[in-house]
Amino acid sequence: MELKPYQKKVLTDLEQYLEYVQAYKRIDQAFNEFWKDRVGAYNPLSGEGMEPYKNNVPGAPNVCIKVPTAGGKTFIAANALKVIFDAFNYDKTKAVVWLVPSVTILDQTIKNLSDISHPYRQRINTHFGGKVEVYTKDALLQGAGFSPASVNEQLSILILSFDSLRSRKKEDRKIYQENGQLASFAESGDTWHLLENTDDTALINVIRKLNPVVIVDESHNAESELSVEMLKNLNPCFILDLTATPRNNSNIISYVNAFELKRENMVKLPVIVYNHHDKTEVVNSALQLQRRLELLAQKEEKNGGRYIRPMVLFQAQPRTGEDNTTFEKLKQKLVELQIPEEQIKIKTADINELKNIDLHDRNCPVRYIITVNALKEGWDCPFAYILASLADRSSNVDVEQILGRVLRQPYVIKHSEAMLNLSYVLTASVKFMDTLQNIVQGLNRAGFSSKDYKVADSQLTDIKKTAESPAEQLTLQYDEEQKVDSSIDEIDTERITAASESEKGEADSAVSEIEKTAVQQDREYERAVMKTNDSSIANQYGDKIKTAVAKEHFIDVIKDVKIPQFFLEVGDMGIFGTETSVPLSRESLLKDFPLSKGNTEINFDEVSTDLYKVDLEKRSEADYTPAFMKLDKSISPQILKFILSAPKERQVKEIAVRIVEMIGNMWPVSDDELFKYVKRVVEDLSPEQIVDLMNREYTYKDRIKDKIQLLTSEYAEKTFNKFIDTDKIKIKESYKIPEAQYPGDTEDYGIAKSLYGKEFRMNEFEKRAINDVANLDNIMLWTKNPDKKGLRINGFINHYPDFIVITKSGKVLVIETKGDDRDNTDTMQKIKLGKTWANKAGEKYKYFMIFDKKSMEGAYTLSDALKIIAEL
């Protein structure tokens, strides 16, 4: 199971944040500078836009990753453990407290992380050399395989529920009570970690002594003061929150949006919503639509696709004191429609007919599940396609709790049948606009937005657009007697014909409208996904982030400007798409890169012995900044002896695994290719070098990583030139200069013709160079191009030139400035790429690499550049 690109991006964000902690040595300053450098806001979730880091648990970094439902939060967390522990001293005891909000998710997490064949556990085992143990609360309380000796030799994952730590119930307070089974942890006599008024053998004190990393799953459930107290009591060294809906005091460091999930075929979006007149029509459409989807799934399987059995979730309205009767009546209605009883199951708080049923099994008959909110969390079956709400029409249809259960895409692939790529909500509500708000809330709860649903009923769509008083306007569609709520008893089975619909049969008008909308919206949503590259958090919280707006008299100048970028020819993008090319990425140039066969000549003779360390910084009596560190030091004598006493082949494998773990993500190079290459490097080392490597792992790791980066750069450039020569790479007008941007540190430099007034920060030579350019008579405007966020010349490297300049004649100049002390491989690569870009872009576009006074092939001195630019 490989990481998706957006998951890799999340882990990179986490790694970069930890590097900021090392650089600034303070948790709050690291977070603030991390975001300040990116979008100019200290906390993107705060209403002020500049609110600093929220120090929820003093002494422990507490950061949040926002990932929508079906985005693979648990897999991200499994991979994040290595990133986090790599930022600490390797001799530190490795313990993780994995917190979950419910019994359902608790059982699911224990099952997945305990199963050595599950991808989550396999990834953790790979990162920690297979020395991993997973503990439940009961196992911990009994001391089963849990001792000081065991935790010192492995990664210990303690899976607990929120309630076991914050509950006031006596049964759930055993964690805080004396426990003779854990007495060995108290034998050292240490008292620094003890929680007030608790015995030193209590499990909570054992956990506190381990100073664990804490993973908080669905962290939006842990916002209360009691929850914060729970986290403090754990004495964590690091807290990682994972949620689709961050709470108000979350410190977000990475954000994944819906388009990224859709691009990777993780979700069935958009959600197609249709409002009916009554419950009979809802049931009729649900049955017809299920049959239609199943026929499409069977057709796709015959053409080589995977098995799919589309299912309906019927959301019955709870009735005080007669819930079971309501559910059973609905089931009976479905049986009257000649649906086999084995295809219908009830799942409520009291009834669980899904227990021990594998819904993915092709021999499983289940197609209809009746529930209220029992599936609201911890339940994901990709075969669930339709949510049919049978709430009373006079009430707001409360669908938000379980809407996320129909969003997961089967097999994480795009299906050839368009309707199998979407999900569906069927309702019967007079207060339809209020119902739509609940659907939006459901999408918000799952980490999505109002952009991710579409109304299928054209009449309702028109009314939605024009209604001043939505509830009143929508009521006018129906006659007065239709306002009366219908009970389950009043579902008219004689009006329902879906059960007898054949493959050649005609669907009713509602289902036809749903199908028509679904096909159209699938096409439009796919186009939007392909066009959207901005996945940044600024795109989600732009109204809360400091914004620089283009001067009004320049807006007409930039609105029609599209600066060319490179595109890779890929052919037809889908059965509805007409796209034949996609923006070129360095990853696409490295798609077939055979790293494992690359040159392994690396000079280790001049390895530096310099080490560095970041000490604990005391900020107050109760607040210490933890010592994140990356440093060379001798590994434990036991590990060194174990590895060196092994046969050569075993030595090489053990060392290669350690180095690969330290190198981390080298996307798009696969983990397998990386391991094979590192293994070849280690095989070439002498016995003396192997001992030296074991004592200075980080330095050797850096040399190997530098070599890999050199090999990838050479291969990417070679492939780029080949694709240019064979016309596989085209250039298209693509990048639009934004009318507003999200700058970090800005300044009004007082330089004429600035697009935004306040521009991104510049060094002294950049200021002098652009001032001289701006004062030329033929210049219309200029702007500082932000690194990582602005115009990217996308080739064998990603080149973000320093400035974009537009002349009065309409020429577009991209300018890179370099101090005279800069003369390296990176500079030469930028010159080569910039010149190639300008030649392909056409006469309207020019590229300049400018030094102050230094002469270099392909570049200009400032005085020479000014003479040329003045004539454009």
Side-chain angles (χ1 to χ4, degrees), residues 664-705:
N665 174 33
M666 291 293 288
W667 171 257
V669 177
S670 70
D671 292 343
D672 184 55
E673 281 286 293
L674 181 60
F675 174 75
K676 288 178 180 177
Y677 178 79
V678 174
K679 186 168 177 285
R680 287 180 56 218
V681 172
V682 177
E683 284 173 342
D684 293 339
L685 297 179
S686 67
E688 292 78 16
Q689 285 179 312
I690 285 181
V691 174
D692 193 41
L693 181 154
M694 296 300 292
N695 284 315
R696 290 187 286 167
E697 291 177 310
Y698 284 98
T699 303
Y700 275 78
K701 177 267 296 183
D702 287 342
R703 289 296 177 92
I704 296 172
K705 189 172 183 178

Side-chain angles (χ1 to χ4, degrees), residues 401-420:
Q401 289 286 341
I402 64 171
L403 179 57
R405 301 310 104 198
V406 299
L407 295 180
R408 195 176 295 272
Q409 176 80 306
Y411 308 114
V412 195
I413 58 174
K414 182 179 180 180
H415 305 290
S416 60
E417 297 292 341
M419 291 184 64
L420 295 175

Side-chain angles (χ1 to χ4, degrees), residues 136-147:
T136 64
K137 184 182 78 170
D138 289 341
L140 291 168
L141 290 172
Q142 294 166 15
F146 185 60
S147 68

Side-chain angles (χ1 to χ4, degrees), residues 791-794 797-801 816 830 833-834 847 849:
L791 168 66
R792 173 171 61 104
I793 302 180
N794 54 331
I797 59 172
N798 289 321
H799 178 15
Y800 294 84
E816 175 77 357
K830 287 179 177 179
L833 179 60
Y847 176 85
M849 170 72 76

Side-chain angles (χ1 to χ4, degrees), residues 31 48 368 528 567 618 632 636 714 733 863:
F31 179 85
E48 298 300 320
Y368 309 95
F567 282 72
K618 186 174 182 179
D632 280 333
S636 68
E714 291 175 347
E733 292 185 340
S863 60

Side-chain angles (χ1 to χ4, degrees), residues 416-556:
S416 60
E417 297 292 341
M419 291 184 64
L420 295 175
N421 296 317
L422 312 175
S423 49
Y424 306 86
V425 173
L426 311 178
T427 72
S429 174
V430 173
K431 300 180 178 179
F432 185 56
M433 293 304 293
D434 292 336
T435 297
L436 286 181
Q437 287 302 310
N438 282 342
I439 290 172
V440 171
Q441 289 177 21
L443 288 167
N444 291 159
R445 185 185 299 274
F448 303 102
S449 72
S450 58
K451 300 176 183 178
D452 302 313
Y453 83 90
K454 301 295 177 182
V455 178
D457 188 328
S458 58
Q459 181 182 10
L460 290 177
T461 304
D462 292 340
I463 293 174
K464 179 188 172 206
K465 291 178 180 177
T466 60
E468 293 181 3
S469 178
E472 292 181 4
Q473 292 284 347
L474 286 169
T475 303
L476 297 177
Q477 299 178 72
Y478 310 113
D479 55 45
E480 287 299 311
E481 66 180 13
Q482 286 180 318
K483 293 181 183 178
V484 179
D485 293 334
S486 59
S487 68
I488 296 296
D489 292 324
E490 292 173 350
I491 292 178
D492 187 353
T493 55
E494 293 183 4
R495 286 169 50 198
I496 299 177
T497 60
S500 61
E501 183 188 18
S502 67
E503 187 169 0
K504 296 181 181 180
E506 292 293 328
D508 67 15
S509 59
V511 174
S512 296
E513 185 71 34
I514 292 169
E515 183 170 354
K516 176 183 175 183
T517 303
V519 172
Q520 175 186 348
Q521 293 301 327
D522 177 65
R523 185 184 304 120
E524 292 182 4
Y525 201 86
E526 287 285 347
R527 287 173 179 166
V529 168
M530 292 301 298
K531 291 179 181 178
T532 302
N533 293 316
D534 181 12
S535 61
S536 70
I537 201 164
N539 191 42
Q540 177 75 356
Y541 297 111
D543 60 330
K544 298 179 180 179
I545 294 175
K546 184 173 61 177
T547 305
V549 180
K551 296 173 183 175
E552 188 173 350
H553 59 282
F554 284 146
I555 290 179
D556 286 340

Side-chain angles (χ1 to χ4, degrees), residues 66-78:
K66 182 183 187 299
V67 182
T69 293
K73 290 191 292 292
T74 306
F75 191 49
I76 289 173

Side-chain angles (χ1 to χ4, degrees), residues 332-348:
Q332 186 57 43
K333 287 287 184 180
L334 296 177
V335 171
E336 289 177 17
L337 291 165
Q338 300 183 357
I339 294 174
E341 188 170 352
E342 64 179 4
Q343 294 185 9
I344 310 165
K345 299 297 177 184
I346 297 175
K347 176 68 170 75
T348 68

